């Protein structure tokens, strides 16, 4: 058996120690007191249930990392990371779970969720956009404001093109690009045209390729009605 010390790594750090946030505290928290913030965390679907069953079937405390949670101000704890581990613990009959409890308000919780999951690429991009919106990220807030004005839903999870409703969109990045290049009004008009075209034809036109093309047409007034979009 061979051991070595933690390596010394030289870094260029401008962040001061007092900007690291308040250290968390390890607590055993009743699972009944742990809740999920639906503003930025999606509902668990079949793939998530399968993941929970896999964790439960192979449950071992040596493989269980503490859930990250924050007090919600009402005697409960909002789960920031670890929803699937927590559900597995509940499934095998545990009543408490180890949690790394940190001090974080709602928007800070969403930011932490985004940072943790973005680094590991563990969640669908749409969910990260929802997290950024709750956290108050200016670009995300602008995207959701435009989407709401056009009655568009930014999907939290993967939806097959065959089952996507005319108002569902998985191309938040393309909306951001349209906003940056053509502005709010043109972006809203474009999304409205594509949504209404989908409602007329029973199809979904809100994908990245069509949004990028349609916003150019709309800006140049070449396409004036949803029917024209349907005929493209």
């Amino acid at each position: 058996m061979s051991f070595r010390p933690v390596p010394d790594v030289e870094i260029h750090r401008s962040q001061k120690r007092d900007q690291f946030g308040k250290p968390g505290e390890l607590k055993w928290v009743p699972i009944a007191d742990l809740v999920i913030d639906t503003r930025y965390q999606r509902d668990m679907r079949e793939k998530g249930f399968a993941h929970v069953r896999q964790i439960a079937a192979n449950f071992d405390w040596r493989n269980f990392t503490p859930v990250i949670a924050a007090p919600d101000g009402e005697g409960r704890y909002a789960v920031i990371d670890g929803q699937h581990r927590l559900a597995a613990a509940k499934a095998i009959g545990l009543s408490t779970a180890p949690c790394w409890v940190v001090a974080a308000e709602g928007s800070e919780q969403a930011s932490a969720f985004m940072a943790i999951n973005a680094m590991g690429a563990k969640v669908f991009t749409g969910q990260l956009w929802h997290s950024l919106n709750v956290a108050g990220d200016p670009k995300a807030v602008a995207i959701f404001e435009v989407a709401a004005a056009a009655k568009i839903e930014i999907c939290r999870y993967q939806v097959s093109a065959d089952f996507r409703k005319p108002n569902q969109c998985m191309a938040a990045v393309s909306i951001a690009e349209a906003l940056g290049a053509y502005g709010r009004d043109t972006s809203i008009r474009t999304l409205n045209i594509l949504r209404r075209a989908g409602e007329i034809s029973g199809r979904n036109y809100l994908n990245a390729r069509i949004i990028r093309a349609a916003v150019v047409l709309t800006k140049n007034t070449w396409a004036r009605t949803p029917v024209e979009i349907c005929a493209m």
Side-chain angles (χ1 to χ4, degrees):
M1 186 176 295
S2 176
F3 296 94
R4 60 176 176 79
V6 176
D8 294 318
V9 180
E10 184 177 347
I11 61 173
H12 300 286
R13 187 178 69 203
S14 58
Q15 187 181 28
K16 298 178 180 179
R17 190 173 297 277
D18 61 2
Q19 295 176 312
F20 294 167
K22 185 179 178 181
E25 179 182 1
L26 189 61
K27 291 183 178 181
W28 283 83
V29 178
I31 292 176
D33 292 342
L34 289 155
V35 294
I36 312 298
D37 191 333
T38 57
R39 290 178 300 168
Y40 64 89
Q41 296 211 41
R42 62 184 175 180
D43 293 336
M44 195 175 295
R45 301 173 72 81
E46 188 51 46
K47 187 176 180 180
F49 290 133
H51 185 41
V52 169
R53 295 186 188 104
Q54 183 181 25
I55 296 172
N58 299 282
F59 194 90
D60 187 325
W61 281 119
R62 292 168 294 186
N63 302 329
F64 192 99
T65 55
V67 171
I68 300 176
D72 74 343
E74 298 180 8
R76 303 171 302 182
Y77 296 85
V79 174
I80 296 173
D81 184 65
Q83 178 182 174
H84 296 89
R85 298 193 300 281
L86 193 60
K90 182 178 180 180
I92 64 172
L94 299 179
S95 59
T96 60
C99 295
W100 182 246
V101 179
V102 297
E105 301 296 331
S107 61
E108 294 171 329
Q109 294 169 21
S111 293
F113 171 87
M114 185 274 296
I116 292 167
N117 289 284
M119 286 189 294
K122 295 187 290 185
V123 298
F124 174 59
T125 304
Q127 190 176 355
L128 293 180
W129 279 111
H130 277 269
S131 302
L132 286 167
N133 182 46
V134 174
D137 176 84
K139 180 182 286 188
V141 170
I143 290 171
F144 277 82
E145 190 274 330
V146 163
K151 300 179 182 178
I152 300 298
E153 174 193 345
I154 305 295
C155 295
R156 292 174 181 266
Y157 47 83
Q158 194 82 24
V159 180
S160 169
D162 293 335
F163 298 99
R164 215 173 296 156
K165 296 177 182 178
N167 71 322
Q168 290 183 316
C169 179
M170 291 168 48
V173 172
S174 297
I175 296 176
E177 291 172 351
L179 268 169
Y182 300 102
R184 179 182 181 278
D185 291 345
T186 298
S187 298
I188 291 173
R189 183 162 183 260
T190 300
L191 294 175
N192 260 321
I193 289 172
L194 295 178
R195 172 183 55 78
R196 289 160 56 202
E199 291 169 351
I200 291 170
S201 66
R203 297 171 59 188
N204 181 288
Y205 293 100
L206 292 165
N207 61 55
R209 179 178 60 83
I210 293 179
I211 290 173
R212 287 168 180 155
V215 72
V216 176
L217 298 178
T218 303
K219 179 65 176 178
N220 290 280
T221 66
W222 299 338
R224 295 184 172 82
T225 69
V227 174
E228 288 179 281
I229 295 293
C230 293
M232 290 172 61

